[in-house]
Amino acid sequence: MAQQTGHAGELLDLLRSGGPLSRIDVIDRTGLSRSTVNQRLATLERAGLIQEIGGAESNGGRPSTRFAFNAARAKVLAADIGAMGFTLAVCDLAGEPIEHASYDVEVWAGPETVLAMVQEGFDALAHPDEVWAVAIGVPGPVEFDAHRVVNPPIMTGWDGFDIAAAFEGRYRGPVVVENDVNARAVAEARRSGLRNLIALKLGTGIGAGLVFNGEIVRGEKGAAGDIGHTRSGHPDAEPRQCRCGNLDCLETYAAGWALVRQLTELGHEVHRTSDVAALVAQGDMDAVRLVRAAGRTIGEGVASLVSILNPRLIALSGQLAECGEVLMSGIRERVYQQTLPLATRDLQIVRSELGELAGVSGLTLIAIDTLLVPDSLDRILAAA
């Protein structure tokens, strides 16, 4: 029996994760009195956050009423911003996308340009009165509590920019700013039910989102998981300059931008990571060779994370992950070569099944978790 607690939000959490439940179910799982359960159910139902549904199975008497979380009560807007464009979605309170759209823009066009496009897209998806929270994902380290990007390697002009302030005046709820790969890690964790995993985004850049013991690992300044800017284990005789200013980062050998550069030097007409994946799909020997080598380099970086953190799952997403086994075989090879059997015995390294909406789904879930904390939820209940 759970310990008796003091807030309707904990009952709401129970219905979000374990519902639908009857009153008796709630009493059994929380240890709360019948009168307290009735009062909190009534409060949540009045706010539209839960609703009655069909009765539970009966043993001969009248079926008891069950209560379920009402995910359709409000909407959340999410923007998953990448290096070369962004995906927008309006989602329900369960994190499920209702409608989405994608736009092309280079992130180094600057925050004013990119966020103005995001706002225009948001306006087409939902009216502000319907929106209870907004979530913005960006491809750089984020100081989560301050809503700011911190020293981002590729986001020229974004350092220290108050992203949340660009939306707070228009929407009544919280505005969450998160690293894009952290959001994917949350989506993977909620979908799989696993508490220890790494989400690896392989696109124009390379990053890792870490969920361990069921919580995002952000680090002190939001830089946790930035493996793309760790040093490669096999640098060339001539050092390679990274976009971050350092030499021989893992990205200089294995990121989409580096592969585009290498293939261009070999005479191929490529401009972005999707072009690299297309060449691999066509069986181009140069592309296959370079991507396979990139997989081994990425695997070396991931092997260190596996040895230190011991995840249960590594889920790959991003345009470079579209190269499939050509890339993944190299990653698996190096991870299993360079880590102890205990760390890899139950490890799965797979391509994510969440698709292009993984980022916006994860962002929405993070925003909802922020929205439904006691202080914020109290304001919703008071307004009901």
Side-chain angles (χ1 to χ4, degrees):
M1 181 178 291
Q3 184 177 4
Q4 184 163 321
T5 55
H7 197 276
E10 296 181 26
L11 193 154
L12 183 62
D13 285 343
L14 181 62
L15 289 169
R16 287 175 64 199
S17 61
L21 299 173
S22 68
R23 284 184 173 84
I24 297 301
D25 292 331
V26 174
I27 291 169
D28 288 344
R29 296 192 189 193
T30 64
L32 296 169
S33 68
R34 178 180 291 273
S35 62
T36 299
V37 167
N38 287 340
Q39 183 270 328
R40 293 182 183 171
L41 286 172
T43 298
L44 292 170
E45 190 172 17
R46 189 165 53 249
L49 287 168
I50 64 172
Q51 58 188 354
E52 293 186 13
I53 62 171
E57 290 185 7
S58 171
N59 292 322
R62 180 180 176 182
S64 59
T65 300
R66 293 188 302 164
F67 295 87
F69 178 55
N70 181 18
R73 175 64 178 88
K75 296 176 179 178
V76 177
L77 287 169
D80 182 21
I81 300 172
M84 304 299 290
F86 58 83
T87 298
L88 304 182
V90 57
C91 302
D92 65 18
L93 292 181
E96 292 297 323
I98 300 168
E99 188 177 352
H100 69 278
S102 296
Y103 299 80
D104 291 330
V105 64
E106 295 175 340
V107 72
W108 41 88
E112 291 86 357
T113 297
V114 174
L115 296 180
M117 291 181 64
V118 168
Q119 183 61 76
E120 184 177 351
F122 279 169
D123 289 341
L125 288 174
H127 190 279
D129 291 346
E130 303 175 298
V131 177
W132 277 14
V134 174
I136 310 295
V138 293
V142 171
E143 192 171 355
F144 185 76
D145 292 336
H147 316 296
R148 299 174 189 268
V149 183
V150 182
N151 296 324
I154 67 169
M155 299 176 67
T156 304
W158 291 75
D159 186 24
F161 188 86
D162 190 347
I163 296 172
F167 303 94
E168 284 173 339
R170 189 168 180 81
Y171 302 100
R172 60 180 175 176
V175 179
V176 169
V177 181
E178 181 60 275
N179 173 266
D180 60 344
V181 197
N182 285 348
R184 290 171 184 248
V186 168
E188 294 287 351
R190 298 289 176 89
R191 176 187 177 278
S192 65
L194 298 176
R195 294 174 54 81
N196 300 292
L197 62 81
I198 296 172
L200 201 62
K201 185 181 179 184
L202 308 173
T204 303
I206 296 173
L210 315 174
V211 169
F212 283 83
N213 296 322
E215 301 289 339
I216 302 173
V217 179
R218 296 187 177 95
E220 182 67 22
K221 292 295 182 180
D226 195 8
I227 66 168
H229 298 285
T230 57
R231 188 173 176 83
S232 171
H234 297 283
D236 288 343
E238 185 69 27
R240 297 190 186 186
Q241 181 78 39
C242 185
R243 297 179 300 175
C244 72
N246 290 331
L247 298 175
D248 287 328
C249 291
L250 188 150
E251 278 201 7
T252 64
Y253 292 84
W257 67 264
L259 294 170
V260 166
R261 183 188 62 188
Q262 293 172 61
L263 286 167
T264 299
E265 291 171 352
L266 292 172
H268 294 274
E269 187 73 20
V270 290
H271 302 284
R272 52 177 58 195
T273 308
S274 57
D275 297 334
V276 177
L279 283 180
V280 170
Q282 295 164 16
D284 180 88
M285 294 305 295
D286 289 332
V288 168
R289 173 177 56 82
L290 289 172
V291 168
R292 185 169 286 126
R296 296 190 184 99
T297 300
I298 293 167
E300 290 167 1
V302 173
S304 297
L305 290 178
V306 171
S307 294
I308 295 168
L309 297 172
N310 188 201
R312 179 67 176 78
L313 172 72
I314 299 175
L316 280 61
S317 63
Q319 290 184 329
L320 201 58
E322 300 293 323
C323 296
E325 285 300 319
V326 173
L327 179 78
M328 292 180 63
S329 60
I331 295 175
R332 291 195 187 100
E333 173 189 317
R334 288 295 193 259
V335 168
Y336 285 99
Q337 280 180 352
Q338 298 184 12
T339 54
L340 293 174
L342 180 60
T344 56
R345 184 170 61 196
D346 297 319
L347 176 65
Q348 295 181 31
I349 304 175
V350 300
R351 185 172 158 188
S352 173
E353 297 179 355
L354 296 181
E356 64 173 333
L357 300 182
V360 290
S361 294
L363 288 165
T364 301
L365 291 168
I366 294 167
I368 293 166
D369 289 345
T370 302
L371 174 69
L372 298 182
V373 297
D375 287 348
S376 181
L377 180 58
D378 283 343
R379 289 192 290 271
I380 295 171
L381 298 177

